[in-house]
Amino acid sequence: MPETDAYETWWWSILLLLWAAAPAQRVVDVLQAIPGPSVGHGAAAEDAAAVEEEIESGGRPGEPLDQASQRRLLRLLRRDPLLAATGGLRRAARSRLLKRLLGGVEAARQVAAEELVEALAEDMAAPAAVREGGPGADNEGEGWQYKTFAYGPMQPPLPGPAVAAGSGAGAGAGAGEGAGDGQRPPMPLPVPLPPPLPEAVVQRHVRQVAAALEQQHVSAAAQEQLGRVIGECANWAAALNTHAGPSGSSSSGSSSGSSSGSGSGSDPCGLISLRVSGNMLAGSTGCHEWEASFALAQLVLRRPELFAGRRVLELGAGAGLVGVVLARAGAQLVAATDGSAQAVSNCAANLRLNLPPQQHPVVECGQAAELAALEQGVAVCRLAWEEPLPPGGLSCDTVVASDVLYDPEVVPVLVSLLVRLLQPAAGTPETVGGSESGAGGAASKDAMPARTDAASVAYIATLRRNPATLQLFLETAASAGLCVAEVDGWGDPFAPAAGGTAVRFHLGVLDEKSVAERIVVHRVVYADILTD
């Protein structure tokens, strides 16, 4: 890859981190690792007088954290169309980033750009102010924010510079950043870096997000401002795709990201934007993006043939990450359920944020019976696991769930529900955990109606927080007649899954070895199926 192309790819990585609201220190660490720009980039492209002034003040144009890099980061924060569409970083996160950037500039013995000092002073002067008319204005005080995650094929990494691991750009990125951030173990940054997505994929996602937010709550004034921003920034994606060749042309990609956005004819790529709660006190746990959901979503992206054309029921859908990729993978029915009404409502909004309404209108079901009547499309519904299923059960071929094994008390309830969903024959299944009813045991026999059909398989992704809880699930499932086996191929970030592709989330939580090694995906079937 030519030097200039590599330089732009580093900046694409910075943009990915900003979209995902990554910890400020991680962004600054990557900025510090960016190699000096070639002619035509960075300082060389700045006004000659400004460069001369920087040199006279003791700065070193063309080296990491020079004034050209500082100004470019500020331009992204202010004028990137996707950040503009979603309201940008929350003020507290923006202030943290600017402070860390200024600290990094001083540590590198560079000279702070006047624009950086002014931006930081502005933020400090009005810490409680909210962006007037911005689409994220009503969320800031409540701890809500928008995060965007990219996925696509990627080449194996080569040894590269290390950057602070932080919380990652994916799940868990909302964790606090205390004084000890610099003491975290370094995380190798992949080289080559994630390639920029095709221009068409990015632009269509921006338009989709803008249109969805306009339908939800964005004022006309904000939309007018957004239109100006998109017009001014229309060339940024082209600049980042200078090395992409035919794959970066506007003719490649798809509006949903489900087809070959990379131009390869097989590997999908795309963006997913989610409104999430950065504060557990501001929303239910289902309104947060959890680590194992990225593993499950990556399995769907790598093995779409397991889900295409099937009716998929998701338990504990949360913020809707997995639901989005299921729809893009071609599932006949995506039934996203959660026990929290707030999570269901937020999930519906996130599905609409990412899926074109003409292709994937989202149906909000008031009760499980409405969901059971659906055979295709995208739907959300509140579903309490301990409550009876509708007569005849729920129409689904596949069940999926992620990060649902967080509490030992929920294990027998979940296993009981899986038995009801996976048991192939009508009749009265055995109770689970030695109890016939109650929140800590299985549902009663009367709560299990005769089945008209059944799901054939379930996929459950789990972050092993408490090994005893996972072991309890395995033992309880076995005693209930379920066969549980680990699924290979989702986690190797560069090796294609069996029969699938090496698609992965870019610069996300799965890059962190300490997290990825604790995630396991299980395939669950009813034991009788194995003897058929």
Side-chain angles (χ1 to χ4, degrees):
M1 178 184 294
E3 179 186 359
T4 55
D5 297 344
Y7 181 74
E8 292 301 329
T9 304
W10 278 91
W11 276 98
W12 169 258
S13 299
I14 292 291
L15 190 55
L16 291 180
L17 296 176
L18 294 178
W19 283 347
Q25 189 59 54
R26 186 179 183 192
V27 178
V28 174
D29 286 340
V30 175
L31 278 170
Q32 291 175 319
I34 296 180
S38 62
V39 176
H41 288 76
E46 294 285 317
D47 181 80
V51 172
E52 184 65 28
E53 181 180 346
E54 182 178 2
I55 295 175
E56 291 178 355
S57 61
R60 301 183 305 281
E63 295 187 18
L65 295 183
D66 64 358
Q67 291 188 2
S69 297
Q70 299 169 43
R71 295 188 184 103
R72 184 164 184 175
L73 180 66
L74 290 171
R75 285 196 296 269
L76 288 178
L77 289 173
R78 292 171 175 168
R79 302 175 65 181
D80 172 70
L82 188 53
L83 288 176
T86 57
L89 296 181
R90 290 185 297 156
R91 184 168 293 274
R94 172 188 160 92
S95 296
R96 254 194 321 268
L97 175 57
L98 296 180
K99 290 177 183 177
R100 294 295 176 92
L101 176 58
L102 182 59
V105 168
E106 293 174 349
R109 297 186 179 181
Q110 285 282 25
V111 177
E114 186 175 315
E115 296 89 335
L116 172 60
V117 176
E118 290 175 353
L120 184 56
E122 179 184 346
D123 275 7
M124 295 180 66
V130 177
R131 186 189 308 272
E132 182 177 357
D138 61 338
N139 299 324
E140 174 128 0
E142 303 175 0
W144 292 87
Q145 61 186 318
Y146 287 91
K147 296 183 180 182
T148 298
F149 308 98
Y151 61 86
M154 209 169 130
Q155 297 298 315
L158 300 173
V163 299
S167 312
E177 299 183 63
D181 279 349
Q183 318 238 341
R184 294 167 298 178
M187 182 178 72
L189 193 67
V191 178
L193 300 169
L197 299 188
E199 181 180 355
V201 172
V202 179
Q203 290 183 344
R204 288 173 183 172
H205 183 74
V206 172
R207 289 195 294 268
Q208 167 63 30
V209 168
L213 289 175
E214 182 178 21
Q215 292 294 321
Q216 292 179 25
H217 56 71
V218 179
S219 66
Q223 279 298 306
E224 182 179 353
Q225 177 188 14
L226 175 60
R228 291 197 302 270
V229 170
I230 293 177
E232 293 170 357
C233 300
N235 63 342
W236 75 267
L240 288 170
N241 279 279
T242 54
H243 71 285
S247 67
S249 67
S250 59
S251 63
S252 64
S254 67
S255 59
S256 67
S258 59
S259 64
S260 177
S262 65
S264 67
S266 59
D267 294 334
C269 64
L271 296 166
I272 299 175
S273 296
L274 300 175
R275 178 179 180 264
V276 297
S277 172
N279 180 357
M280 290 305 173
L281 299 179
S284 77
T285 55
C287 295
H288 184 69
E289 79 282 14
W290 292 100
E291 293 90 338
S293 65
F294 286 88
L296 182 57
Q298 193 160 283
L299 174 67
V300 176
L301 292 169
R302 289 179 162 213
R303 299 294 307 276
E305 74 281 0
L306 298 177
F307 307 93
R310 299 179 69 85
R311 301 167 299 170
V312 184
L313 170 68
E314 183 179 9
L315 306 176
L321 175 72
V322 177
V324 171
V325 297
L326 282 169
R328 292 179 178 179
Q332 176 181 314
L333 172 66
V334 178
T337 69
D338 201 284
S340 163
Q342 184 181 27
V344 169
S345 176
N346 187 59
C347 180
N350 283 332
L351 290 171
R352 294 188 176 105
L353 194 65
N354 294 276
L355 302 176
Q358 302 87 348
Q359 301 174 26
H360 303 288
V362 179
V363 178
E364 297 188 55
C365 300
Q367 53 187 349
E370 298 178 32
L371 187 66
L374 298 178
E375 288 291 330
Q376 61 183 5
V378 178
V380 298
C381 184
R382 181 182 175 276
L383 182 67
W385 297 351
E386 68 275 9
E387 294 179 359
L389 295 176
L394 293 173
S395 299
C396 61
D397 307 306
T398 302
V399 179
V400 297
S402 58
D403 265 325
V404 292
L405 299 175
Y406 53 85
D407 184 348
E409 292 187 1
V410 83
V411 168
V413 184
L414 173 62
V415 171
S416 174
L417 178 58
L418 290 174
V419 169
R420 287 181 279 161
L421 292 170
L422 297 174
Q423 189 178 37
T428 305
E430 298 178 358
T431 57
V432 178
S435 173
E436 292 188 352
S437 63
S444 67
K445 296 179 180 180
D446 292 338
M448 301 179 184
R451 298 296 310 282
T452 56
D453 62 358
S456 60
V457 63
Y459 295 96
I460 301 179
T462 305
L463 176 67
R464 290 174 283 201
R465 295 179 175 85
N466 184 349
T469 303
L470 179 58
Q471 185 61 32
L472 176 62
F473 168 73
L474 297 176
E475 294 173 356
T476 307
S479 68
L482 298 177
C483 180
V484 183
E486 288 192 25
V487 175
D488 296 325
W490 71 266
D492 188 331
F494 306 104
T501 64
V503 175
R504 66 187 297 251
F505 282 93
H506 292 170
L507 295 186
V509 68
L510 299 182
D511 281 343
E512 295 188 48
K513 188 175 181 181
S514 62
V515 173
E517 287 182 342
R518 293 164 53 210
I519 295 178
V520 60
V521 179
H522 286 109
R523 180 178 183 271
V524 184
V525 298
Y526 200 73
D528 285 353
I529 296 178
L530 301 178
T531 62
D532 290 346

